[in-house]
Amino acid sequence: MKIACIGKGGSGKSTISWLLVQLLAAQRRQVLAIDADHNMDLVSLLGKEIGPDTPTMHRRHDAFRDTVGLKEDKNWGRIVLEEDRVLPSFALDPEDSYTRSIRIPINDSVSLIAVGLGSDDVLFSDRCSHGHSAPLKFYLPFLDEGADTDVVIDGVAGADMMNFGLFLGADAVLVVVEPHRNSMRVLSQVAAIAERSNLPLFAVINKADSNPELTQQIEQEWGSRIVGHIPADAGLLAYDLARVAEATRESGENLLSELRSRTAKRNDTLVRIRAFERERSKAKA
Ligand SMILES: Nc1ncnc2c1ncn2[C@@H]1O[C@H](COP(=O)(O)OP(=O)(O)O)[C@@H](O)[C@H]1O
Ligand SMILES: [Mg+2]
C-alpha cells in the first residue's frame, strides 16, 4: 500500500512516518520511504543527509520529464490526459532506470526517495514547490510497488499540496491530527479536498492522551475515519524502535493493520487523477 502522511506542521507527520517505516521493516516488509517535505525530517530520521551529490527527485527533474516524454516543464496533466500517450510505468523490483537513479538504500528493508524540497539548490531556484513536486505527483500513480513493499510518504504541512493533487496516486492519505483546534482545522480542510478528489482519507490521533476532551470530539466528528491513536511517548524522541514504548508500538501496529484492511480494495488511481487534471485544465482555460 501507498500511504501519505499529512497534517498541520508539528502534528507528528515525520514521527509517525518514521514509526510506520520501522514497524513495517520489523514485520519483514520492504519499505520505500518518500520525503516530500521542505524540512526533510524523514531523511534525517532515517540517518541520511542530502549532500551535494545525493540524488533527489529535484535533481533528476529533467530525467523524469524525459522518462515520461514531457518536453516542456509545464502542462504536466498531459501525461494522463492525452489519449495517444503511452503511460509511464515505474517499479521497485526490478527497478526501472529512473527509480534506480533516485533511490537511496538505507538498509536491507528500507530505501528512501527525497523530493529534495529543502536542499539549497531548491531554495535558490525560481521553480515553485508545486513544480518541484510534480515528478512525485506523476510518479506515485504509475509506481508498481509490488506485493512485498509498502510506500510511506512524509508530506508538506497543511492542505496546500492536496489542492495540487500531489497524493492522488497514493492509496490513501493519513492525516495526523493532534487534539488541538488548529490541527483539527487542518484535518477538516484536507478532508474537504480529499472528498472532492475522491481520495480515501483516514486520520490518526497523535498524542491522543494529551487532551481527552478534544480527542473525544475528534472521534465523534470523524467516526470510522479514525484508524488509530498514538500516545505521547518520550521514547519516540530517540527515533530508535527499541526505545519506543510497547503501547506506542502496539498502537502503530494496529494502525497499520487497519490501514491495510481499509486500502485492500484499490480504487482506480488513474481515473481519479484524470478527473482531477481534466478539472484543472478546464479551470485554467
Ligand atoms: N507521539 C509523540 N510523542 C512524543 N513526541 C512526539 C510524538 N509525536 C511527535 N512528537 C514530537 O513532536 C514534534 C513534532 O513532530 P514532527 O513529527 O516533527 O511533526 P511534523 O512532521 O508534523 O512537523 C517532534 O519534536 C516530535 O519528536
Ligand atoms: Mg515533518
Side-chain angles (χ1 to χ4, degrees):
M1 62 180 172
K2 299 176 190 151
I3 299 293
C5 294
I6 55 183
K8 188 184 173 326
S11 61
K13 295 177 296 297
S14 301
T15 302
I16 288 185
S17 302
W18 173 85
L19 180 66
L20 297 184
V21 169
Q22 302 304 325
L23 291 174
L24 286 163
Q27 292 174 358
R28 306 194 152 271
R29 301 276 305 162
Q30 293 291 308
V31 195
L32 172 64
I34 300 184
D35 190 327
D37 192 14
H38 300 275
N39 300 328
M40 301 199 294
D41 284 338
L42 189 57
V43 169
S44 102
L45 296 179
L46 292 174
K48 287 283 167 190
E49 242 178 80
I50 303 294
D53 302 318
T54 315
T56 61
M57 273 195 158
H58 157 65
R59 289 175 180 158
R60 303 281 298 148
H61 190 93
D62 293 342
F64 185 83
R65 288 200 288 111
D66 284 346
T67 306
V68 299
L70 194 74
K71 283 193 199 69
E72 296 152 84
D73 191 10
K74 54 180 182 185
N75 291 332
W76 290 77
R78 285 170 44 202
I79 296 174
V80 291
L81 293 182
E82 290 177 354
E83 283 183 6
D84 50 352
R85 187 179 276 275
V86 179
L87 292 170
S89 85
F90 302 103
L92 299 178
D93 187 18
E95 284 176 318
D96 60 275
S97 61
Y98 171 75
T99 299
R100 190 176 323 117
S101 76
I102 53 168
R103 185 148 77 133
I104 304 166
I106 302 291
N107 55 40
D108 286 348
S109 315
V110 182
S111 61
L112 170 72
I113 289 178
V115 175
L117 286 191
S119 60
D120 286 352
D121 38 345
V122 167
L123 294 175
F124 300 111
S125 132
D126 50 9
R127 198 183 282 138
C128 68
S129 55
H130 290 159
H132 290 299
S133 303
L136 178 60
K137 174 176 174 180
F138 290 96
Y139 180 74
L140 277 181
F142 299 111
L143 171 66
D144 176 2
E145 76 272 35
D148 301 333
T149 305
D150 293 303
V151 181
V152 177
I153 307 144
D154 183 18
V156 173
D160 174 55
M161 283 292 177
M162 290 286 291
N163 261 328
F164 172 64
L166 182 59
F167 304 115
L168 292 176
D171 295 309
V173 294
L174 176 67
V175 183
V176 178
V177 59
E178 284 183 289
H180 183 286
R181 300 264 157 228
N182 294 340
S183 193
M184 291 158 70
R185 192 157 40 84
V186 172
L187 167 57
S188 302
Q189 290 168 340
V190 168
I193 303 169
E195 178 88 18
R196 273 211 311 273
S197 37
N198 201 20
L199 178 60
L201 170 135
F202 304 105
V204 54
I205 309 179
N206 190 24
K207 306 178 191 167
D209 37 357
S210 66
N211 188 331
E213 203 176 308
L214 284 184
T215 291
Q216 199 184 12
Q217 196 176 313
I218 299 171
E219 286 163 347
Q220 277 165 359
E221 187 174 350
W222 296 95
S224 64
R225 304 284 195 113
I226 304 297
V227 286
H229 297 70
I230 301 289
D233 173 9
L236 271 173
L237 304 179
Y239 296 97
D240 170 0
L241 193 57
R243 294 171 68 177
V244 169
E246 195 49 46
T248 307
R249 202 178 160 132
E250 216 171 279
S251 306
E253 274 158 4
N254 290 339
L255 172 59
L256 282 172
S257 58
E258 196 65 30
L259 285 172
R260 195 170 304 287
S261 70
R262 304 281 284 272
T263 58
K265 199 172 145 283
R266 295 239 172 149
N267 49 16
D268 196 335
T269 315
L270 191 55
V271 170
R272 173 159 74 219
I273 195 160
R274 275 197 171 126
F276 183 89
E277 291 302 325
R278 212 171 283 127
E279 281 302 309
R280 254 168 81 95
S281 69
K282 260 195 248 154
K284 272 193 219 146

